[in-house]
Amino acid sequence: MSLFPTRIERPFARLDRAAIGAIVASDRHLLVQGGMGIHTSDGLAGKVASHRGAALIGVGTISAVVKTEEHFRREIRRARDEAPGGFVGVNLMAAVDKDHFEASARIAIEERVSFVVQGAGISREIVKWCRAGGVPFAGIVSSGRLAAIYEKWGAEFLVAEGAEAGGHIGDVGHPLPGLVDEVLGATALPVVAAGGVDATDVARFFAAGAAGVQMATRFLACSDGDAHPAFKEMHLGRTCDDVTLITSCVKGMKARAVRNDFTDALARGVSFPPRSKAWYFGDKGYHGRVKPCVECLADGLCLCRASGFKESFCITDALLAAAVKGDTKNGLFYTGQSIARIAEKTFAELPSAKALLESLEDLLASDMGTLLAASA
Ligand SMILES: Cc1cc2nc3c(=O)[nH]c(=O)nc-3n(C[C@H](O)[C@H](O)[C@H](O)COP(=O)(O)O)c2cc1C
């Protein structure tokens, strides 16, 4: 059977500027599930994208990070089966190695996903490929300046990601509320607000002019999704003191994670050279690479590789240990600042993605009413 269909059954809907404009004009907004790398958001996109409520249109995002081509394609088709005609995009990281980046972009365009969104670096090439392939492109921005650049390049919408976000953070000094205002002022493109967003913030960002909000951390703490149960457990009963910023081996960027033995060791300067990944990628390796260092990041961007494996740590090992093995001591559990606002205390209480979206609809109905009354 060919992996490259010429005709897509039940295609996704395009999420371009016009489609978002029509949604906002109908008094609804986007609720985007943020793409999370290394298995953490697998299985969520279709569930979120099947939500079409009175106030919110669900949008799913699949991450391409460290997936084999087969795995990436399988995940896209799984979402298409779960949400036929829905909005499902893919998240590509510009920092990953060039072959993988190009292969992921090709698959996304072949599968006619709703949009491609790019994080961790910028690449003009991907905007051109998407335009040529007829797939809307969205940029993740941490400044109005970058927003204006993306608009000029032909992006269809923007995700303004503030310092409260999980995982790698573009600019640790740029909290979301101010960033949203700055980005809205710098571009005419639709803007999705991301980073630390909790249910109680949603109405405020819509009232400020955002076309949608993006949540990632909140979806880690739900009963759906393939992340290891221990990853979900790590999100229960946490306070701000349980969260820490580390220096990632990816370009030395800051990244937010749940504090554990691993992050404490990193803070003491301990280094973790790469280990064999055969347990995860099998004999064929990652894109044919079988050594402990699978060169997952683009040349010159990995601090671990650049130091001859004497400094920093292997990001793929650390994130796989968390998301796939659920190793709470040796894994790196990326999370966002909103972890401290997750109300559920036990695993049994975790809501499904569907229930989460329905409760957001209910809250929004009352919050929007209050905001409208206040501004009348
Ligand atoms: C575990 C985890 C993994 C993430 N992986 C990626 C990624 O691969 N690419 C990316 O652009 N953003 C990634 N993010 C950022 C999220 O997509 C999202 O934009 C951000 O966390 C803001 O939402 P939140 O504060 O609700 O988590 C990740 C976040 C988390 C928590």
Side-chain angles (χ1 to χ4, degrees):
M1 193 187 70
S2 168
L3 277 175
F4 306 100
T6 49
R7 194 171 65 88
I8 304 282
E9 302 288 342
R10 297 181 294 165
F12 298 116
R14 276 170 60 85
L15 191 61
D16 56 17
R17 193 172 174 172
I20 298 173
I23 289 168
V24 174
S26 71
D27 268 344
R28 289 179 295 173
H29 291 81
L30 306 178
L31 192 295
V32 184
Q33 161 256 317
M36 293 178 278
I38 320 246
H39 216 49
T40 39
S41 61
D42 288 5
L44 288 168
K47 292 165 187 79
V48 176
S50 54
H51 180 87
R52 279 169 182 263
L56 298 170
I57 299 294
V59 177
T61 315
I62 293 166
S63 162
V65 175
V66 191
K67 282 194 172 65
T68 60
E69 295 190 16
E70 291 75 15
H71 187 177
F72 186 40
R73 214 181 273 279
R74 200 166 59 237
E75 202 55 29
I76 294 173
R77 294 181 180 182
R78 175 183 183 188
R80 187 184 296 136
D81 286 344
E82 288 179 346
F87 293 117
V88 175
V90 303
N91 179 289
L92 307 183
M93 275 183 40
V96 301
D97 100 277
K98 201 165 169 283
D99 290 352
H100 181 212
F101 185 67
E102 288 180 9
S104 306
R106 176 175 48 79
I107 290 170
I109 291 167
E110 280 172 4
E111 296 286 336
R112 313 221 66 77
V113 296
S114 300
F115 62 97
V116 166
V117 62
Q118 179 186 251
I122 57 169
S123 140
R124 191 172 186 173
E125 294 252 271
I126 182 71
V127 191
K128 288 186 186 160
W129 296 337
C130 287
R131 282 172 71 84
V135 171
F137 174 84
I140 300 179
V141 299
S142 56
S143 71
R145 200 177 135 263
L146 184 55
I149 292 173
Y150 269 136
E151 181 170 16
K152 211 159 95 193
W153 286 356
E156 295 283 331
F157 70 98
L158 299 167
V159 178
E161 193 174 82
E164 304 87 342
H168 296 113
I169 302 160
D171 179 355
V172 286
H174 224 145
L176 184 60
L179 177 65
V180 168
D181 290 344
E182 180 183 322
V183 173
L184 283 168
T187 167
L189 292 176
V191 175
V192 173
V197 178
D198 174 64
T200 53
D201 307 321
V202 175
R204 191 161 45 91
F205 284 114
F206 293 167
V213 291
Q214 172 164 300
M215 292 181 173
T217 299
R218 176 61 262 202
F219 283 107
L220 286 171
C222 74
S223 58
D224 300 308
D226 300 349
H228 194 282
F231 207 112
K232 301 178 183 189
E233 291 263 12
M234 282 297 251
H235 280 74
L236 301 173
R238 298 294 175 171
T239 67
C240 292
D241 294 340
D242 295 312
V243 181
T244 186
L245 281 182
I246 63 149
T247 301
S248 167
C249 65
V250 184
K251 300 193 282 184
M253 286 173 87
K254 291 294 171 206
R256 183 168 284 111
V258 182
R259 196 174 161 201
N260 67 350
D261 289 355
F262 183 74
T263 63
D264 286 348
L266 290 181
R268 293 195 306 274
V270 178
S271 62
F272 296 87
R275 301 186 290 264
S276 166
K277 294 161 185 61
W279 67 271
Y280 185 67
F281 293 115
D283 297 342
K284 286 198 210 146
Y286 171 72
H287 294 262
R289 298 167 195 170
V290 294
K291 286 191 199 154
C293 172
V294 293
E295 299 182 1
C296 57
L297 298 176
D299 276 348
L301 296 192
C302 176
L303 298 187
C304 179
R305 192 152 39 120
S307 71
F309 312 116
K310 292 189 178 64
E311 289 172 28
S312 197
F313 66 99
C314 171
I315 183 95
T316 301
D317 279 345
L319 294 176
L320 281 176
V324 181
K325 285 188 179 161
D327 183 341
T328 54
K329 285 194 179 337
N330 303 301
L332 178 59
F333 292 78
Y334 274 171
T335 193
Q337 196 63 51
S338 67
I339 189 175
R341 296 199 278 168
I342 291 172
E344 294 82 19
K345 298 281 182 267
T346 66
F347 198 83
E349 289 174 73
L350 291 180
S352 65
K354 184 173 187 293
L356 205 58
L357 284 152
E358 282 163 2
S359 67
L360 279 172
E361 290 278 358
D362 291 344
L363 188 64
L364 207 51
S366 64
D367 280 1
M368 278 316 248
T370 311
L371 278 173
L372 288 173
S375 64

mmCIF file of all heavy atoms in Angstrom, residues 34-37 40 63 65 91 93 119 140 161 164-167 195-196 214-217 220 334-335, ligand 1:
data_model
loop_
_atom_site.group_PDB
_atom_site.id
_atom_site.type_symbol
_atom_site.label_atom_id
_atom_site.label_comp_id
_atom_site.label_asym_id
_atom_site.label_seq_id
_atom_site.Cartn_x
_atom_site.Cartn_y
_atom_site.Cartn_z
ATOM 1 N N GLY A 34 -2.359 23.251 21.558
ATOM 2 C CA GLY A 34 -0.986 23.473 21.109
ATOM 3 C C GLY A 34 -0.272 22.161 20.840
ATOM 4 O O GLY A 34 -0.434 21.194 21.584
ATOM 5 N N GLY A 35 0.525 22.145 19.770
ATOM 6 C CA GLY A 35 1.298 20.943 19.448
ATOM 7 C C GLY A 35 2.402 20.755 20.469
ATOM 8 O O GLY A 35 3.075 21.714 20.845
ATOM 9 N N MET A 36 2.574 19.534 20.941
ATOM 10 C CA MET A 36 3.626 19.252 21.922
ATOM 11 C C MET A 36 4.459 18.082 21.420
ATOM 12 O O MET A 36 3.926 17.044 21.026
ATOM 13 C CB MET A 36 3.006 18.953 23.286
ATOM 14 C CG MET A 36 2.321 20.171 23.890
ATOM 15 S SD MET A 36 1.524 19.848 25.462
ATOM 16 C CE MET A 36 -0.032 19.134 24.941
ATOM 17 N N GLY A 37 5.780 18.289 21.455
ATOM 18 C CA GLY A 37 6.693 17.334 20.843
ATOM 19 C C GLY A 37 6.838 16.038 21.609
ATOM 20 O O GLY A 37 6.371 15.889 22.742
ATOM 21 N N THR A 40 3.977 13.862 23.441
ATOM 22 C CA THR A 40 3.153 14.372 24.535
ATOM 23 C C THR A 40 1.754 14.781 24.094
ATOM 24 O O THR A 40 0.821 14.740 24.886
ATOM 25 C CB THR A 40 3.844 15.553 25.262
ATOM 26 O OG1 THR A 40 4.501 16.366 24.306
ATOM 27 C CG2 THR A 40 4.839 15.076 26.273
ATOM 28 N N SER A 63 2.306 17.327 16.528
ATOM 29 C CA SER A 63 3.726 17.693 16.468
ATOM 30 C C SER A 63 4.491 16.679 15.629
ATOM 31 O O SER A 63 4.274 15.469 15.744
ATOM 32 C CB SER A 63 4.309 17.716 17.881
ATOM 33 O OG SER A 63 5.711 17.654 17.802
ATOM 34 N N VAL A 65 7.774 16.526 15.857
ATOM 35 C CA VAL A 65 9.090 16.406 16.483
ATOM 36 C C VAL A 65 9.453 14.961 16.835
ATOM 37 O O VAL A 65 8.723 14.270 17.543
ATOM 38 C CB VAL A 65 9.160 17.299 17.753
ATOM 39 C CG1 VAL A 65 10.470 17.104 18.483
ATOM 40 C CG2 VAL A 65 9.014 18.749 17.349
ATOM 41 N N ASN A 91 2.660 20.981 13.755
ATOM 42 C CA ASN A 91 3.691 21.861 14.300
ATOM 43 C C ASN A 91 5.053 21.328 13.885
ATOM 44 O O ASN A 91 5.398 20.182 14.168
ATOM 45 C CB ASN A 91 3.561 21.884 15.829
ATOM 46 C CG ASN A 91 4.607 22.746 16.491
ATOM 47 O OD1 ASN A 91 5.783 22.397 16.515
ATOM 48 N ND2 ASN A 91 4.189 23.865 17.034
ATOM 49 N N MET A 93 9.228 22.133 13.997
ATOM 50 C CA MET A 93 10.230 22.968 14.664
ATOM 51 C C MET A 93 11.403 23.211 13.731
ATOM 52 O O MET A 93 12.030 22.253 13.253
ATOM 53 C CB MET A 93 10.707 22.274 15.940
ATOM 54 C CG MET A 93 9.780 22.559 17.105
ATOM 55 S SD MET A 93 10.339 21.822 18.658
ATOM 56 C CE MET A 93 12.083 22.074 18.627
ATOM 57 N N GLY A 119 7.447 26.471 15.145
ATOM 58 C CA GLY A 119 8.000 26.973 16.398
ATOM 59 C C GLY A 119 9.503 26.783 16.443
ATOM 60 O O GLY A 119 10.095 26.210 15.534
ATOM 61 N N ILE A 140 4.656 31.253 14.977
ATOM 62 C CA ILE A 140 4.618 31.488 16.418
ATOM 63 C C ILE A 140 5.537 32.678 16.687
ATOM 64 O O ILE A 140 6.696 32.664 16.262
ATOM 65 C CB ILE A 140 5.095 30.256 17.203
ATOM 66 C CG1 ILE A 140 4.177 29.070 16.886
ATOM 67 C CG2 ILE A 140 5.119 30.549 18.707
ATOM 68 C CD1 ILE A 140 4.566 27.776 17.585
ATOM 69 N N GLU A 161 2.963 33.781 21.477
ATOM 70 C CA GLU A 161 3.257 32.904 22.612
ATOM 71 C C GLU A 161 4.034 33.656 23.682
ATOM 72 O O GLU A 161 5.165 34.073 23.465
ATOM 73 C CB GLU A 161 4.044 31.683 22.133
ATOM 74 C CG GLU A 161 4.095 30.597 23.185
ATOM 75 C CD GLU A 161 4.749 29.337 22.656
ATOM 76 O OE1 GLU A 161 5.990 29.286 22.643
ATOM 77 O OE2 GLU A 161 4.019 28.421 22.260
ATOM 78 N N GLU A 164 4.755 32.678 29.662
ATOM 79 C CA GLU A 164 4.147 31.710 30.593
ATOM 80 C C GLU A 164 4.032 30.314 29.971
ATOM 81 O O GLU A 164 3.579 29.361 30.602
ATOM 82 C CB GLU A 164 2.733 32.181 30.987
ATOM 83 C CG GLU A 164 2.651 33.571 31.596
ATOM 84 C CD GLU A 164 2.519 34.703 30.554
ATOM 85 O OE1 GLU A 164 2.835 34.470 29.368
ATOM 86 O OE2 GLU A 164 2.107 35.812 30.934
ATOM 87 N N ALA A 165 4.436 30.180 28.699
ATOM 88 C CA ALA A 165 4.236 28.928 27.945
ATOM 89 C C ALA A 165 5.069 27.780 28.499
ATOM 90 O O ALA A 165 6.021 27.970 29.252
ATOM 91 C CB ALA A 165 4.593 29.160 26.482
ATOM 92 N N GLY A 166 4.707 26.587 28.043
ATOM 93 C CA GLY A 166 5.462 25.392 28.409
ATOM 94 C C GLY A 166 6.530 25.088 27.378
ATOM 95 O O GLY A 166 6.491 25.585 26.268
ATOM 96 N N GLY A 167 7.485 24.260 27.758
ATOM 97 C CA GLY A 167 8.553 23.879 26.831
ATOM 98 C C GLY A 167 9.468 25.059 26.547
ATOM 99 O O GLY A 167 9.656 25.932 27.407
ATOM 100 N N GLY A 195 0.080 30.639 25.975
ATOM 101 C CA GLY A 195 1.078 30.750 27.040
ATOM 102 C C GLY A 195 0.425 31.032 28.373
ATOM 103 O O GLY A 195 0.061 32.169 28.668
ATOM 104 N N GLY A 196 0.234 29.979 29.162
ATOM 105 C CA GLY A 196 -0.323 30.150 30.498
ATOM 106 C C GLY A 196 -1.824 30.371 30.520
ATOM 107 O O GLY A 196 -2.379 30.729 31.560
ATOM 108 N N GLN A 214 -4.787 29.441 22.584
ATOM 109 C CA GLN A 214 -4.168 28.116 22.479
ATOM 110 C C GLN A 214 -3.853 27.614 23.873
ATOM 111 O O GLN A 214 -3.356 28.356 24.704
ATOM 112 C CB GLN A 214 -2.883 28.211 21.656
ATOM 113 C CG GLN A 214 -2.059 26.934 21.643
ATOM 114 C CD GLN A 214 -1.032 26.923 20.538
ATOM 115 O OE1 GLN A 214 -1.388 27.016 19.359
ATOM 116 N NE2 GLN A 214 0.230 26.820 20.878
ATOM 117 N N MET A 215 -4.160 26.355 24.103
ATOM 118 C CA MET A 215 -3.804 25.718 25.378
ATOM 119 C C MET A 215 -3.037 24.444 25.074
ATOM 120 O O MET A 215 -3.429 23.692 24.170
ATOM 121 C CB MET A 215 -5.058 25.340 26.159
ATOM 122 C CG MET A 215 -5.864 26.498 26.667
ATOM 123 S SD MET A 215 -7.279 25.819 27.574
ATOM 124 C CE MET A 215 -7.945 27.307 28.249
ATOM 125 N N ALA A 216 -2.011 24.200 25.827
ATOM 126 C CA ALA A 216 -1.262 22.950 25.665
ATOM 127 C C ALA A 216 -1.201 22.219 27.003
ATOM 128 O O ALA A 216 -1.686 21.100 27.147
ATOM 129 C CB ALA A 216 0.126 23.242 25.128
ATOM 130 N N THR A 217 -0.658 22.893 28.011
ATOM 131 C CA THR A 217 -0.494 22.275 29.329
ATOM 132 C C THR A 217 -1.810 21.679 29.845
ATOM 133 O O THR A 217 -1.844 20.561 30.355
ATOM 134 C CB THR A 217 0.043 23.329 30.326
ATOM 135 O OG1 THR A 217 1.316 23.772 29.840
ATOM 136 C CG2 THR A 217 0.186 22.787 31.719
ATOM 137 N N LEU A 220 -2.499 18.348 28.646
ATOM 138 C CA LEU A 220 -1.664 17.258 29.180
ATOM 139 C C LEU A 220 -2.386 16.595 30.344
ATOM 140 O O LEU A 220 -2.220 15.404 30.595
ATOM 141 C CB LEU A 220 -0.325 17.815 29.678
ATOM 142 C CG LEU A 220 0.677 18.232 28.605
ATOM 143 C CD1 LEU A 220 1.841 18.971 29.247
ATOM 144 C CD2 LEU A 220 1.167 17.029 27.829
ATOM 145 N N TYR A 334 8.216 18.722 30.401
ATOM 146 C CA TYR A 334 7.905 20.087 30.016
ATOM 147 C C TYR A 334 6.470 20.425 30.426
ATOM 148 O O TYR A 334 5.564 19.588 30.352
ATOM 149 C CB TYR A 334 8.055 20.265 28.499
ATOM 150 C CG TYR A 334 9.474 20.587 28.060
ATOM 151 C CD1 TYR A 334 9.819 20.594 26.701
ATOM 152 C CD2 TYR A 334 10.459 20.914 28.982
ATOM 153 C CE1 TYR A 334 11.105 20.906 26.288
ATOM 154 C CE2 TYR A 334 11.748 21.225 28.568
ATOM 155 C CZ TYR A 334 12.065 21.219 27.220
ATOM 156 O OH TYR A 334 13.340 21.533 26.819
ATOM 157 N N THR A 335 6.297 21.657 30.848
ATOM 158 C CA THR A 335 4.969 22.113 31.266
ATOM 159 C C THR A 335 4.899 23.627 31.164
ATOM 160 O O THR A 335 5.925 24.288 30.999
ATOM 161 C CB THR A 335 4.679 21.684 32.720
ATOM 162 O OG1 THR A 335 3.279 21.869 32.983
ATOM 163 C CG2 THR A 335 5.478 22.515 33.741
HETATM 164 C C1 LIG B 1 5.261 19.158 26.888
HETATM 165 C C2 LIG B 1 5.277 20.320 25.928
HETATM 166 C C3 LIG B 1 5.843 20.152 24.679
HETATM 167 C C4 LIG B 1 5.826 21.202 23.750
HETATM 168 N N1 LIG B 1 6.350 20.979 22.501
HETATM 169 C C5 LIG B 1 6.307 21.968 21.572
HETATM 170 C C6 LIG B 1 6.813 21.772 20.254
HETATM 171 O O1 LIG B 1 7.299 20.692 19.917
HETATM 172 N N2 LIG B 1 6.741 22.798 19.371
HETATM 173 C C7 LIG B 1 6.198 24.019 19.722
HETATM 174 O O2 LIG B 1 6.152 24.935 18.871
HETATM 175 N N3 LIG B 1 5.692 24.236 20.958
HETATM 176 C C8 LIG B 1 5.730 23.242 21.878
HETATM 177 N N4 LIG B 1 5.187 23.455 23.131
HETATM 178 C C9 LIG B 1 4.492 24.740 23.404
HETATM 179 C C10 LIG B 1 2.973 24.561 23.290
HETATM 180 O O3 LIG B 1 2.565 24.172 22.011
HETATM 181 C C11 LIG B 1 2.171 25.836 23.665
HETATM 182 O O4 LIG B 1 2.245 26.810 22.682
HETATM 183 C C12 LIG B 1 2.614 26.484 24.916
HETATM 184 O O5 LIG B 1 2.952 25.545 25.861
HETATM 185 C C13 LIG B 1 1.560 27.457 25.445
HETATM 186 O O6 LIG B 1 0.490 26.825 25.999
HETATM 187 P P1 LIG B 1 0.369 26.401 27.559
HETATM 188 O O7 LIG B 1 0.886 27.522 28.359
HETATM 189 O O8 LIG B 1 -1.079 26.144 27.695
HETATM 190 O O9 LIG B 1 1.199 25.181 27.696
HETATM 191 C C14 LIG B 1 5.227 22.446 24.088
HETATM 192 C C15 LIG B 1 4.679 22.607 25.369
HETATM 193 C C16 LIG B 1 4.689 21.573 26.278
HETATM 194 C C17 LIG B 1 4.061 21.778 27.623
#
